[in-house]
Amino acid sequence: MSSSVLEPPIHRARKAVIPVAGLGTRLLPASKAIPKEMITVVDRPAIQYVVEEAAEAGLSDVLLVTNRGKGAISDHFDSVPDLESALEASGKDALLASVRASSGLAHIHEVRQGEAKGLGHAVNQARDHVGGEPFAVLLGDDFNDPRDPLLDTMLDVQAERGGSVVALLEVEPETISLYGAAVVEEAPEAGRGADVVRVLSAVEKPPVQEAPSNLAIIGRYVLHPAVFDVLDRTEPGKGGEIQLTDALMELATMSTQEGGGVHGVVFRGRRYDTGAKLDYLKAIVQLGADRDDLGVEFMAWLREFVQTYEEPSERLRSGFAD
Ligand code: G1P
């Protein structure tokens, strides 16, 4: 067989970067003394679902961009020899497996962000670890259902087309100001159950009236390493922070030879947001209902609860509005 008919090897990104240095004010007071990423969702911390999502997409090297007070996150992915031998000695095999599951997911590395200068600044801390390869970025506030693999598609799109890839979600127009908004070329191409579009530009958290679209950039990216040089010259933007969205805007205008070009994968699957209180409650109910060990009993109780629940004459506990 002549070499001309051989397909060039497709190299998918192998490393994931997960910024976890943020303060987590939306989950206060729960996140006062523990990182927001360690808040329990059913029976494991929210960050474990995100690392599971990375591992399922074949990203076995995970770099956490951390900060002071975030040590519990790295501890969670470490092994605990004393606890493991105690569980082993007492024959608690299921618990032992659950403890080992998080430490066996991926090779976890850590770098400190030091100063809170924005998402773009956090991602730029990964330069030395990532080197010259494309890499994924997963934000910790939400995670996607393993039955609707988004990251897998994004990694394929990046390997086949080069440049960078962002995940896009059609949101209610009045909520677009919470996100980076993408300007995309019209006709979406159908591919692997998801639409792949060319991103022409992006704006970080535009006012609703000025938003160029209702396509929100959600927290999954596969980035070309050219992003690091772009981030080095990205001036502080929205909120005085170095914005990843601003770097993407520049990448979208650069040529393929320079590592430019941005594609968007429009996500239409199930997504759980744990970064805000109401969404967090919904995520627990949805994930609890799907569990093979809890779902049947939990749903029976929930149906009964909803049918018989009476509005209280006064609310028992006051909340803290965002
Ligand atoms: C960040 C990004 C924003 C993106 C969002 C997705 O904002 O800056 O472009 O749409 O994540 O969750 P944050 O939510 O950290 O303020």
Side-chain angles (χ1 to χ4, degrees):
M1 204 191 304
S2 89
S3 61
S4 62
V5 297
L6 287 176
E7 291 289 326
I10 291 181
H11 294 296
R12 293 198 349 162
R14 297 175 302 125
K15 294 180 180 173
V17 173
I18 307 185
V20 293
L23 285 176
T25 48
R26 287 188 299 164
L27 286 183
L28 282 170
S31 56
K32 190 174 163 191
I34 59 161
K36 63 169 178 172
E37 294 81 5
M38 290 303 292
I39 286 189
T40 308
V41 180
V42 186
D43 61 355
R44 63 197 83 175
I47 187 72
Q48 186 171 331
Y49 292 91
V50 180
V51 174
E52 283 170 3
E53 189 183 322
E56 260 156 48
L59 301 162
S60 54
D61 180 304
V62 171
L63 177 72
L64 301 172
V65 183
T66 70
N67 218 334
R68 274 172 291 279
K70 298 282 183 166
I73 302 177
S74 339
D75 284 352
H76 180 73
F77 294 103
D78 205 354
S79 47
V80 207
D82 293 353
L83 174 63
E84 290 173 33
S85 7
L87 292 171
E88 200 161 16
S90 51
K92 295 187 170 154
D93 296 342
L95 284 181
L96 180 62
S98 78
V99 166
R100 286 187 173 154
S102 57
S103 49
L105 278 174
H107 300 287
I108 305 284
H109 307 267
E110 201 180 327
V111 64
R112 293 245 178 166
Q113 186 178 3
E115 295 165 281
K117 288 191 186 167
L119 179 59
H121 181 256
V123 170
N124 211 6
Q125 306 312 304
R127 183 196 276 264
D128 287 346
H129 183 83
V130 163
E133 298 173 29
F135 62 103
V137 174
L138 290 83
L139 305 189
D141 280 346
D142 54 70
F143 48 89
N144 301 310
D145 197 297
R147 291 166 292 189
D148 305 314
L150 167 67
L151 206 46
D152 234 14
T153 308
M154 294 174 71
L155 290 163
D156 283 347
V157 169
Q158 199 286 328
E160 285 162 14
R161 304 181 190 203
S164 297
V165 183
V166 296
L168 299 175
L169 183 75
E170 286 181 54
V171 297
E172 294 298 327
E174 57 278 14
T175 64
I176 191 68
S177 55
L178 298 172
Y179 301 93
V183 183
V184 304
E185 213 170 49
E186 260 178 60
E189 304 164 35
R192 271 183 292 274
D195 296 338
V196 182
V197 293
R198 181 122 194 136
V199 176
L200 303 177
S201 187
V203 192
E204 178 66 5
K205 304 195 176 118
V208 171
Q209 279 72 24
E210 293 165 28
S213 75
N214 68 333
L215 282 175
I217 300 175
I218 53 170
R220 299 293 177 271
Y221 309 78
V222 184
L223 300 174
H224 189 282
V227 72
F228 294 122
D229 284 347
V230 174
L231 282 169
D232 278 346
R233 55 178 183 262
T234 300
E235 297 288 333
K238 193 93 186 179
E241 297 188 333
I242 297 171
Q243 297 294 350
L244 183 57
T245 304
D246 293 344
L248 287 165
M249 189 161 65
E250 184 171 339
L251 284 169
T253 62
M254 286 164 50
S255 69
T256 319
Q257 290 73 23
E258 297 169 308
V262 179
H263 308 281
V265 173
V266 182
F267 184 57
R268 306 192 196 282
R270 286 155 280 195
R271 176 170 170 268
Y272 309 103
D273 187 346
T274 52
K277 291 168 200 174
L278 186 59
D279 293 325
Y280 170 72
L281 285 176
K282 292 179 191 171
I284 292 177
V285 172
Q286 286 172 297
L287 290 159
D290 286 346
R291 281 278 293 256
D292 59 3
D293 56 341
L294 302 168
V296 173
E297 259 184 88
F298 176 56
M299 283 310 294
W301 173 84
L302 191 59
R303 279 193 195 96
E304 170 90 22
F305 175 77
V306 169
Q307 271 164 18
T308 57
Y309 184 77
E310 284 170 24
E311 291 287 319
S313 54
E314 53 182 316
R315 297 281 164 193
L316 294 177
R317 285 188 194 276
S318 58
F320 302 89
D322 289 350

